[in-house]
Amino acid sequence: MSSFPLSGFATRAIHAGYDAKANDGALVPPLHLSSTFVFETAEAGAEIFAGEREGYFYSRIANPTVDLLERRMAALEGAEAAVATASGMGAISAVFWSFLKPGDEIIVDQTLYGCTFAFMRHGLARFGVRVTHVDLTDPANLEACISDATKIVYFETPANPNMRLVDIAAVSAIARDHGARTVVDNTYATPVLTQPITLGADIVVHSATKYLGGHGDLVGGIALGTSADMQQVRLVGVKDMTGAVMAPFNPGLACFAQHDLARRQMPGFGGMIAFELKGGYAAGVAMMNRLTLVQRAVSLGDAESLIQHPASMTHSTYTAEERRAHGIADGLVRLSVGLEEADEIAADLTQALDAEVSASVDA
Ligand SMILES: *Cc1c(COP(=O)(O)O)cnc(C)c1O
């Protein structure tokens, strides 16, 4: 699973799960933005779908970039496997949807993150799951009320927001004796400070939005546990029930070098230009009508260069007065520069503008 299975924490945090040789020697892992993956043969595709052969087929189920984050986090938490999600709530809800049915009971700590509380108390309860709050800081409280109907014991340690700790080993042992899974929200501690699975917990969840992201600029989550449990979370909780899959741009461990790259290169995607001709609206319309390569169309950011007139198109929801008040001139033209040859885009604009200049001189 990990390329450095026996190494220490810091080495695993930087290297686990990645093999540069399998990625054209790239030191920094590439981003795989593809939503879908090509099958060598129809038979191979059927085998991948059936789980009989390793391989990717659709990024809602698995993606090589997200897969690296999952393997690295598993190496840090001491878990067999992981599933990264769109948010912490995505991870938490996917875990619960994967293992519960009406009539089941869950026992959860008194103190929970606000939305986790809402999800359980007001959400799961509506679907026939009994939610019992117990002060898990004393494991004897769990012993007193756990039953065969209990399917999950859930807590945070330290808890958000009051920092109460729960004895992971003691609570997990009681839960295991009754056939219940122990699920720990490890958001506060991170695997740097606590590795609940090594202490007996079955599943760990994180809001990766917090310490794991570490820069306050992404929303993400992750669930970790046995391969069998994570397969269930992946194929039921994430694939079918929530769809809360993580996007390849999101893996954002502080140690994950692509994170900064993604942030740095996003501001480079600026291909938008707005300008106004001296002749105002009539001149703008005439100029647009002379273009042959640049397409007259709304929307932006496409491969094709697109030009449009905001006052009569995208911003016609504003009244003329509102446009004036909001600085949208009636003659303003908006150009989204596409990916055609730059000199050909420039030549098209130049001929349309030159013709407009000579038309206005003639007039
Ligand atoms: C923030 C948080 C969550 C929810 O995570 P999101 O990424 O915001 O969905 C869950 N548990 C704890 C302890 C949190 O602090």
Side-chain angles (χ1 to χ4, degrees), residues 216 257 287:
M287 187 277 297

Side-chain angles (χ1 to χ4, degrees), residues 61-114:
I61 291 85
N63 168 286
T65 305
V66 178
D67 190 54
L68 172 57
L69 172 70
E70 293 170 345
R71 276 179 283 144
R72 188 157 302 173
M73 278 301 298
L76 298 181
E77 286 278 11
E80 284 176 17
V83 178
T85 55
S87 66
M89 290 312 299
I92 293 165
S93 58
V95 165
F96 280 81
W97 290 129
S98 297
F99 298 111
L100 293 178
K101 59 183 187 321
D104 287 344
E105 180 193 51
I106 60 174
I107 295 179
V108 304
D109 192 26
Q110 296 285 20
T111 307
L112 297 173
Y113 169 73

Side-chain angles (χ1 to χ4, degrees), residues 271-277 280-281 283-289 291 294-301 304-318 323 328-337 349:
M272 297 301 299
I273 298 170
F275 57 91
E276 197 179 348
L277 298 192
Y281 176 61
V285 167
M287 187 277 297
M288 286 200 294
N289 285 339
L291 293 166
V294 177
Q295 304 294 303
R296 286 170 294 276
V298 295
S299 193
L300 56 94
E304 300 82 358
S305 291
L306 306 177
I307 198 161
Q308 66 111 7
H309 175 238
S312 66
M313 297 173 189
T314 53
H315 293 67
S316 57
T317 51
Y318 291 62
R323 281 198 298 275
I328 302 164
D330 277 347
L332 194 74
V333 170
R334 189 188 80 186
L335 172 67
S336 170
V337 179
L349 288 165

Side-chain angles (χ1 to χ4, degrees), residues 87-90 92 113 116 154 156 160 185 187-188 206-210 219-221:
S87 66
M89 290 312 299
I92 293 165
Y113 169 73
T116 306
Y154 183 93
E156 304 165 3
N160 184 354
D185 182 332
T187 300
Y188 261 46
H206 279 279
S207 169
T209 315
K210 315 291 168 51
V219 176

